[in-house]
Amino acid sequence: MSIGAARAYTNIALIKYWGKQDEQLILPMNSSLSLTLDAFYTETSVRFTSELTADRFYLDGQLQNEKQTKKVSSFLDLIRHKYDVPQFAEITSNNFVPTAAGLASSASGLAALAGACSAALDLSLSPTELSMLARRGSGSACRSIFGGFSEWQKGDSDTTSYAVQIPSDSWEQELAMLFILVDDAQKDVSSRDGMKRTVETSVFYEGWLTAVADDLVSAKQAIATKDFTLLGETAESNALRMHATTLGATPPFTYWSPDSLKAMNLVRACRLEGIPCYFTMDAGPNVKVLVQKKDADRLTARFAEEFNENQLVLAHAGPGIEILDSERSLTYD
Ligand code: DP6
């Protein structure tokens, strides 16, 4: 059977996905909206073969053990079941990140895996079908099928929950995102575990669901009218609202570290100094700052006064998933 390969870029949510209505199908409690970025991507190749008696997964050149292969194998089980494929597969995946600071993302990883499987099996999926498939690997991956802004419409069943590209007249080309890579002294709570705990126990979760619907309307209006202030203010409040839910969970937790707060405060200071910029954060301590391209150098220079240069990565809007020529696919002995 032939090899399939794909490259997918990571995306950062401006309106967050936080909580599932169905864990098995990965149907979210709320719709979300993201920007796909150019600086971080994953290239994955998949080869189904009857020579193997188990899936074999190489990540960044290293053969992964059974535990490390579990997420990939569960996704392949789904594919095998859905498309009646009897073989195991060899999967080769490489994360392209500007620094080694743990920026690998499940969004780019699972989107690339879905694209590579679809190519290997010649499934001829539409972008919408590919988005539904990627969603089953990791929710946020369904948004990485599209470049620029994308909205994951929550739906209420397997075939009604997928991402769509948001028309933007290429406005995203005027935007940038500065990543502040912050040391994590705390024990990680994965996004999957964190959102589950929050849905099940947070006294603030109802408030999140009420607020996020309005935030999404504002963000889409901001994109339609190219209103940077509205987009930034909405994204920043939405991130704070998501993170507030974790403090109301049992047991409570937070993804913030002292340096996350330092970065957030610096964003506020930059605004007072006349650089319009807004932060967002995901299930980890890194801070991402939305800024207009024309101000990106000034913002980066300002952050370089307080952080090491190797903690700073500037990204721009990136493309949707690319199916690669199998000649270009990567193999290891
Ligand atoms: C905070 O997509 O990693 O980044 O669906 O369980 O795989 P699973 O979760 P994942 O969660 C991402 C959560 C977030 C917000 C977002 O990207 O929308």
Side-chain angles (χ1 to χ4, degrees):
M1 214 168 257
S2 69
I3 294 183
R7 176 190 303 131
Y9 294 78
T10 199
N11 70 76
I12 294 297
L14 301 176
I15 305 298
K16 305 295 181 189
Y17 146 50
W18 196 239
K20 295 179 180 67
Q21 44 171 307
D22 185 318
E23 310 241 336
Q24 181 71 24
L25 294 175
I26 311 202
L27 302 178
M29 293 289 262
N30 64 275
S31 298
S32 54
L33 182 155
S34 62
L35 180 61
T36 300
L37 296 170
D38 64 353
F40 316 91
Y41 60 93
T42 305
E43 283 183 1
T44 296
S45 73
V46 172
R47 183 171 66 98
F48 288 93
T49 168
S50 43
E51 292 156 19
L52 292 174
T53 51
D55 292 322
R56 192 188 288 166
F57 176 34
Y58 293 89
L59 179 60
D60 295 327
Q62 302 286 323
L63 180 62
Q64 305 291 293
N65 65 29
E66 205 180 319
K67 194 170 166 225
Q68 293 161 325
T69 306
K70 198 170 175 298
K71 198 167 184 180
V72 165
S73 268
S74 307
F75 184 75
L76 289 174
D77 285 343
L78 190 110
I79 300 259
R80 282 187 275 259
H81 180 73
K82 196 167 163 146
Y83 298 103
D84 202 13
V85 180
Q87 291 105 339
F88 290 102
E90 180 168 280
I91 309 99
T92 304
S93 195
N94 288 295
N95 285 317
F96 293 81
V97 293
T99 74
L103 276 172
S105 104
S106 65
S108 60
L110 271 297
L113 182 62
C117 287
S118 157
L121 300 171
D122 230 347
L123 299 178
S124 309
L125 300 180
S126 67
T128 304
E129 289 168 324
L130 194 53
S131 178
M132 288 174 202
L133 187 63
R135 190 201 77 230
R136 298 291 304 271
S138 184
S140 53
C142 77
R143 298 184 308 236
S144 277
I145 304 306
F146 301 99
F149 293 111
S150 102
E151 178 189 353
W152 175 10
Q153 301 177 339
K154 64 179 177 161
D156 56 9
S157 64
D158 192 25
T159 53
T160 55
S161 184
Y162 51 83
V164 296
Q165 190 166 46
I166 302 180
S168 61
D169 188 26
S170 301
W171 182 46
E172 70 276 5
Q173 300 302 332
E174 292 170 34
L175 307 180
M177 196 172 266
L178 180 66
F179 283 66
I180 323 299
L181 310 178
V182 164
D183 274 346
D184 190 3
Q186 321 190 34
K187 203 170 164 293
D188 287 348
V189 180
S190 71
S191 44
R192 192 159 287 190
D193 294 346
M195 67 175 84
K196 185 170 174 359
R197 192 192 299 176
T198 306
V199 172
E200 287 170 358
T201 67
S202 178
V203 295
F204 300 144
Y205 196 71
E206 277 303 314
W208 160 255
L209 287 179
T210 310
V212 69
D214 292 341
D215 290 346
L216 182 65
V217 172
S218 301
K220 285 165 74 173
Q221 191 201 331
I223 293 167
T225 56
K226 303 187 184 180
D227 184 337
F228 181 72
T229 308
L230 180 61
L231 184 64
E233 285 180 354
T234 306
E236 191 172 295
S237 338
N238 184 261
L240 289 170
R241 287 167 175 164
M242 177 201 120
H243 285 271
T245 65
T246 69
L247 299 179
T250 309
F253 64 108
T254 183
Y255 292 109
W256 297 5
S257 76
D259 271 359
S260 314
L261 284 163
K262 181 176 147 185
M264 288 188 249
N265 283 334
L266 188 50
V267 167
R268 294 187 186 103
C270 286
R271 282 207 290 264
L272 293 175
E273 292 164 20
I275 309 175
C277 59
Y278 300 89
F279 62 78
T280 187
M281 284 181 69
D282 294 298
N286 296 329
V287 175
K288 295 117 193 180
V289 187
L290 184 67
V291 65
Q292 292 168 101
K293 228 184 213 171
K294 62 183 167 69
D295 296 322
D297 288 347
R298 240 175 4 129
L299 182 77
T300 309
R302 189 67 181 82
F303 268 82
E305 291 170 18
E306 308 280 340
F307 291 88
N308 293 328
E309 290 205 22
N310 61 11
Q311 292 181 276
L312 307 178
V313 178
L314 188 66
H316 300 107
I321 193 165
E322 295 158 352
I323 302 299
L324 303 175
D325 200 304
S326 43
E327 309 261 293
R328 287 220 40 214
S329 68
L330 310 137
T331 43
Y332 290 88
D333 291 333

